Amino acid sequence: QVQLVQSGAEVKKPGTSVKVACKTFGYTFSNYYVQWVRQAPGQGLEWMGRINPSGGSTYNPQKFQGRITLTRDTSATTVYMELSSLRSEDTAVYYCARLFGNYFDSWGQGTLVTVSS
Amino acid sequence: DIQMTQSPSSLSASVGDRVAITCRASQTIRNFLNWYQQKPGKAPELLIYAASNLQSGVPSRFSGSGSGTDFIFTISSLQPDDFATYYCQQTYNGVTFGGGTRVEI
């Protein structure tokens, strides 16, 4: 069945970068966009952008432009989200999700990224 | 950017109650509106897509309606397992989530 499995929790210092992996299983990798969403502690869901695994094109909302890099490894059926210039406000659980039609039908389990000096 | 206003932000209800949550878009989003349930420490799960379509495997006590800018999510008879936070999401132009509604039993 469709599964998205994310890499483990990270602790990072302010100003550094983090790279989160999302490995996909159970479907044709190139056929579905993968989205990234984050959730700060006790807060709501915030969309960070998406990648088309077929050609690698990406789109990110303006808030994250210049700080986020989405990539994919088609041979490994894995997508990656790298966020740079980390600050304390980036402490959050980061989720990947598959876009099916116009909704997110499968989600990764989440990766906690803690930014602390 | 399209803003999604969800209300109420929290509610308390009893088992068997009918519960309704509203979501309003800042501009028309046709029916590009989805509803998710999130339990503590878990990823969100899709309940309703395209405003009114029940995702496979989701109990029929969950339903959705609306189009354009105003949408309603309903639980017809609240069950103990429904304690969770619910989010609306628009995918008409980019992606935006509502602020969430915490449902306490």
Side-chain angles (χ1 to χ4, degrees):
Chain A
Q1 77 275 25
V2 174
Q3 273 191 289
L4 289 79
V5 179
Q6 298 181 224
S7 50
E10 304 261 14
V11 179
K12 294 292 183 179
K13 293 193 181 301
T16 64
S17 299
V18 68
K19 191 171 186 176
V20 179
C22 172
K23 182 163 177 60
T24 69
F25 300 88
Y27 69 95
T28 302
F29 178 70
S30 59
N31 285 0
Y32 301 91
Y33 286 34
V34 174
Q35 314 280 327
W36 287 90
V37 174
R38 74 177 183 179
Q39 186 170 39
Q43 301 302 306
L45 302 169
E46 181 176 33
W47 180 61
M48 301 180 70
R50 54 90 168 144
I51 183 168
N52 178 355
S54 176
S57 64
T58 64
Y59 178 82
N60 312 108
Q62 188 170 10
K63 174 177 180 177
F64 295 101
Q65 288 177 7
R67 258 202 333 137
I68 190 171
T69 304
L70 302 181
T71 56
R72 92 289 191 214
D73 180 342
T74 54
S75 63
T77 66
T78 300
V79 299
Y80 301 92
M81 186 282 299
E82 184 170 20
L83 190 63
S84 61
S85 302
L86 290 169
R87 36 206 186 231
S88 58
E89 310 90 89
D90 295 316
T91 293
V93 176
Y94 290 76
Y95 294 101
C96 60
R98 187 179 80 156
L99 179 69
F100 185 91
N102 293 295
Y103 51 88
F104 298 1
D105 71 331
S106 298
W107 294 65
Q109 83 276 20
T111 297
L112 175 62
V113 175
T114 303
V115 182
S116 174
S117 56
Chain B
D1 291 1
I2 298 176
Q3 309 302 317
M4 303 300 295
T5 303
Q6 194 174 333
S7 61
S9 57
S10 67
L11 65 90
S12 295
S14 300
V15 172
D17 284 355
R18 184 180 184 87
V19 167
I21 299 168
T22 64
C23 190
R24 173 165 288 176
S26 60
Q27 64 188 76
T28 182
I29 57 171
R30 294 169 54 188
N31 71 334
F32 289 73
L33 191 284
N34 309 308
W35 292 95
Y36 298 84
Q37 177 192 69
Q38 186 180 33
K39 295 183 177 179
K42 300 294 187 182
E45 291 188 4
L46 178 70
L47 300 179
I48 302 287
Y49 65 93
S52 61
N53 295 274
L54 194 65
Q55 173 69 342
S56 176
V58 173
S60 60
R61 64 180 180 272
F62 297 102
S63 65
S65 64
S67 67
T69 60
D70 294 306
F71 302 86
I72 299 175
F73 171 80
T74 304
I75 308 173
S76 61
S77 178
L78 199 63
Q79 299 301 303
D81 189 50
D82 300 338
F83 164 73
T85 300
Y86 296 85
Y87 293 93
C88 63
Q89 175 205 46
Q90 71 81 19
T91 56
Y92 179 73
N93 186 351
V95 176
T96 319
F97 291 91
T101 297
R102 182 177 178 181
V103 175
E104 299 174 323
I105 307 297

